[in-house]
């Protein structure tokens, strides 16, 4: 295709360009002004993201603090299980523990040395950083929970802040990347609901999910386990009960003791739950119910693992390429054949076997996200 | 549409005649509409022209004939796997010289599968090209002033003007 190529219509050129990796697009920014401008349009971002997430879904590992460096390292892992360290951008110092959120190529992070409600948006692939403005009001509430997600329908990223008083949700604000503004959001139907501390909000399919609870009236000790969901496109909250089976089970047993984990399975919300009877892991998926008399949503158990080896504690993190990405800890009182410590373990959803990868994970204070390379924020810098 | 024929004859933009089976022609929406509208029987002497040159049309027909059985009947996973391998080989051959022509033909003939494949092939080829090579094949002139180039370089150390 060196010589005498026909002149392609712009429509075809765009179709080719959206299939290029971000690195190539950055290199080709200077081909001509038309291309530079094209790469910075939101519709091009969206189209590129669509291809990128289908073909090049990565795993992003935010590693724990390395004592000597006092810093968190960021790695990406591709489908060939090759590791790339991601360089931090200027302004991005140490992440606040538990305050890293990832959605469609963009990270939302809180930094250690800053006031609690300061947040940054960061695209590590193109190394662009943007500070999120302060919330509307100086709330006096003791705490807040942050959620972050993307909606292809409105082609916008949103940050949602739930302000908590005694853990109860009392107020909400939402920030839209498109408008660059915070706005108050109606939380009336969350009255009496509290979201669990330490649970990062989880984005899946244009929705942000939290695990929450609500006291049942007249029963001081009876609490209803709930999923709180926020529709990113419509700015609306919904409450969904937990699967009955899960609510009844105890969370821990002596051998398998890890916490419930929200994940995304085939674009649906799912939850990993330790099964105290089988000593394995169950995966429940939230399905929209065909029978309205049974309520709008129903839970289906779609996977049960074999019993975990008694010498190991397995922490499922996310589902990636139809595999369960786990952190594994060996119990000290057992002799373990395989050296799982400090390694990433992938369990197959179908074959039920564990594969160990030599990925530098230093402790369980590690966050794992799925990630795609994207161009988002490229339009926010002056070039 | 007459069901009596299994293959039809079409003309390329160079005026050469080509045979294409009816099931293969159905991969293209415009050809499919034409099959429904026009009578193609043995005594019908109408030969439609496809605005694609001969060299490109040969490859497009080759692709259609290979993909037609799967498109028409649905296929097993092993067939899909085999077809994927075939696609890779197909795009490796002398297609590079006529890739842009194939892209235009797939676009004109509304052939989604071939269009995706050709776009991805073009993107993969571009990854290894310099900016000057890109400008050449897309017939683009560098319209940045030297100051603008400098500014872009500062903002994006990853971009290149060579």
């Amino acid at each position: 295709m060196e010589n005498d190529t026909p002149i392609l219509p712009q429509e075809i050129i765009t179709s080719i360009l959206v299939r290029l990796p971000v690195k190539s697009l950055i290199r080709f920014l200077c081909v001509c002004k038309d291309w530079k401008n094209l790469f910075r349009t939101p519709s091009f971002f969206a189209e590129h993201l669509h291809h990128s997430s289908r073909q090049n879904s990565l795993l992003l590992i935010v590693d724990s603090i390395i004592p000597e460096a006092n810093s968190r390292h960021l790695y990406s892992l591709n489908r060939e299980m090759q590791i790339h360290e991601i360089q931090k951008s200027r302004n991005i110092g140490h992440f606040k523990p538990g305050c890293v959120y990832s959605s469609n190529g963009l990270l939302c992070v809180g930094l250690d040395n800053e006031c609690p409600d300061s947040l940054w948006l960061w695209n590590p692939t193109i190394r662009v950083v943007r500070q999120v403005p302060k919330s509307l009001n100086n709330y006096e509430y003791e705490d807040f929970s942050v959620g972050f997600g993307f909606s292809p329908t409105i082609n916008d990223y949103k940050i949602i802040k739930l302000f908590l008083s005694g853990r109860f949700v009392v107020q909400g604000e939402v920030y839209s990347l498109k408008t660059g503004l915070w706005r108050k959001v109606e939380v009336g139907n969350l009255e009496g609901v509290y979201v669990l501390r330490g649970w990062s909000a989880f984005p899946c399919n244009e929705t942000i999910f939290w695990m929450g609870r609500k006291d049942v009236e007249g029963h001081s000790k009876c609490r209803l386990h709930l999923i709180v969901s926020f529709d990113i496109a419509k700015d609306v909250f919904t409450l969904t009960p937990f699967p009955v089976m899960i609510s009844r089970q105890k969370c821990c047993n002596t051998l398998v003791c890890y916490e419930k984990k929200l994940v995304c399975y085939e674009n649906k919300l799912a939850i990993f739950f330790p099964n105290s009877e089988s000593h394995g892991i169950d995966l429940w998926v939230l399905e929209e119910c065909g029978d309205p008399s049974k309520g709008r949503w129903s839970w289906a158990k779609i996977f049960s693992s074999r019993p975990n080896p008694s010498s190991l504690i397995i922490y499922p993190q996310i589902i990636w390429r139809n595999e369960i990405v786990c952190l594994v800890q060996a119990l000290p009182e057992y002799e373990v054949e395989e050296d799982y410590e400090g390694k990433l373990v992938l369990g197959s959803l179908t074959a039920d076997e564990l594969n160990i990868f030599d990925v530098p994970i230093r402790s369980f204070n590690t966050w794992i996200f799925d990630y795609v390379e994207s161009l988002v924020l490229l339009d926010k810098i002056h070039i | 549409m007459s069901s009596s024929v299994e293959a039809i004859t079409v003309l390329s933009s160079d005026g050469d005649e080509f045979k294409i089976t009816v099931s293969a022609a159905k991969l293209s929406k415009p050809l499919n509409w034409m099959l429904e509208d026009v009578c193609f029987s043995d005594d019908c002497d109408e030969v439609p022209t496809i605005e694609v040159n001969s060299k490109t049309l040969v490859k497009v027909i080759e692709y259609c004939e290979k993909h037609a059985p799967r498109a028409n009947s649905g296929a097993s996973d092993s067939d899909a796997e085999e077809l994927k391998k075939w696609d890779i080989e197909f795009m490796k051959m002398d297609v590079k010289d006529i890739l842009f022509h194939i892209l235009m033909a797939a676009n004109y003939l509304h052939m989604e599968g071939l269009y995706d494949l050709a776009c991805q092939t073009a993107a993969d080829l571009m990854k290894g090209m310099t900016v000057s090579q890109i400008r050449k094949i897309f017939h683009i002139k560098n319209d940045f002033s030297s100051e603008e180039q400098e500014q872009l370089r500062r903002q994006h150390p990853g971009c290149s003007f060579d």
Side-chain angles (χ1 to χ4, degrees), chain A residues 128-290:
Chain A
V128 175
V129 174
R130 206 180 189 214
Q131 187 163 26
V132 178
K134 294 249 180 272
S135 311
L136 291 177
N137 298 306
N138 288 324
Y139 291 93
E140 290 146 20
Y141 305 118
E142 57 204 71
D143 205 357
F144 58 86
S145 175
V146 174
F148 176 60
F150 173 71
S151 161
T153 309
I154 53 167
N155 196 15
D156 197 6
Y157 292 80
K158 283 185 183 173
I159 302 171
I160 171 100
K161 253 185 201 179
L162 290 179
F163 293 91
L164 312 172
S165 177
R167 287 207 260 173
F168 290 100
V169 178
V170 279
Q171 219 147 10
E173 273 187 33
V174 65
Y175 173 81
S176 141
L177 180 61
K178 222 182 229 175
T179 64
L181 298 171
W182 285 98
R183 214 166 53 71
K184 259 183 104 164
V185 63
E186 184 57 49
V187 293
N189 58 342
L190 301 188
E191 204 186 327
V193 171
Y194 63 89
V195 291
L196 303 191
R197 224 184 265 276
W199 294 109
S200 284
F202 181 79
C204 174
N205 190 23
E206 312 201 36
T207 312
I208 298 167
F209 297 95
W210 290 260
M211 285 199 245
R213 284 186 195 161
K214 191 175 185 174
D215 294 334
V216 177
E217 272 175 57
H219 298 270
S220 60
K221 283 184 181 168
C222 187
R223 282 172 184 152
L224 193 62
H225 292 248
L226 295 163
I227 297 286
V228 176
S229 53
F230 176 73
D231 185 317
I232 299 167
K234 294 182 189 142
D235 284 355
V236 174
F237 286 98
T238 316
L239 295 173
T240 316
F242 256 43
V244 176
M245 290 298 289
I246 293 180
S247 303
R248 281 193 195 138
Q249 280 181 8
K250 284 179 189 158
C251 177
C252 276
N253 66 56
T254 49
L255 292 176
V256 194
C257 180
Y258 52 83
E259 290 159 307
K260 301 181 282 285
K261 184 84 185 164
L262 296 178
V263 291
C264 215
Y265 175 75
E266 292 182 348
N267 228 9
K268 286 180 247 181
L269 182 77
I271 184 167
F272 275 120
F273 199 82
N275 187 324
S276 55
E277 281 158 28
S278 76
H279 300 273
I281 305 163
D282 290 345
L283 180 65
W284 293 74
V285 177
L286 185 60
E287 311 254 15
E288 197 143 4
C289 202

Side-chain angles (χ1 to χ4, degrees), chain B residues 13-162:
Chain B
S13 59
D14 306 326
D16 298 322
E17 280 192 4
F18 291 93
K19 284 259 182 213
I20 177 167
T21 61
V22 168
S23 64
K26 281 182 179 169
L27 254 61
S28 152
K29 274 190 203 130
L31 285 186
N32 200 18
W33 293 329
M34 199 171 69
L35 285 169
E36 283 166 4
D37 290 346
V38 185
C39 155
F40 284 107
S41 56
D42 292 338
D43 55 346
C44 175
D45 54 6
E46 192 173 345
V47 181
T49 302
I50 296 178
E51 288 302 329
V52 173
N53 67 33
S54 299
K55 204 173 160 189
T56 309
L57 193 55
V58 172
K59 298 304 287 182
V60 171
I61 291 174
E62 187 187 340
Y63 176 92
C64 290
E65 298 291 357
K66 183 69 190 179
H67 279 256
R70 182 172 179 251
N72 293 333
S73 65
S76 64
D77 287 350
S78 64
D79 283 354
E81 203 55 42
E82 191 252 306
L83 211 53
K84 230 178 179 173
K85 281 186 192 147
W86 184 89
D87 281 352
I88 293 167
E89 285 305 312
F90 176 73
M91 280 293 164
K92 260 189 208 164
M93 292 187 293
D94 51 348
V95 172
K96 263 186 212 170
D97 308 329
I98 57 164
L99 185 59
F100 281 14
H101 288 281
I102 288 191
L103 268 168
M104 284 166 69
N107 188 41
Y108 158 70
L109 293 168
H110 293 250
M111 292 173 56
E112 211 179 308
L114 182 59
Y115 187 70
D116 277 346
L117 181 65
C119 281
Q120 191 57 56
T121 308
D124 291 342
L125 286 171
M126 284 172 72
K127 281 188 226 168
M129 288 185 178
T130 64
V131 169
S132 330
Q133 285 171 320
I134 295 291
R135 289 200 190 108
K136 195 173 168 197
I137 64 162
F138 286 98
H139 307 275
I140 293 171
K141 279 205 173 73
N142 179 7
D143 53 0
F144 288 106
S145 68
S146 49
E147 291 82 38
E148 286 167 332
Q149 294 197 10
E150 212 28 65
Q151 200 190 348
L152 251 182
R153 255 202 213 105
R154 266 201 310 276
Q155 288 284 3
H156 290 283
C159 76
S160 126
F161 279 87
D162 306 318

Side-chain angles (χ1 to χ4, degrees), chain A residues 286-313:
Chain A
L286 185 60
E287 311 254 15
E288 197 143 4
C289 202
D291 182 358
S293 66
K294 292 177 183 163
R296 190 170 161 211
W297 299 100
S298 69
W299 290 91
K301 185 161 84 176
I302 61 134
F303 169 78
S304 289
S305 77
R306 274 191 311 204
N308 297 324
S310 51
S311 56
L312 298 175
I313 309 174

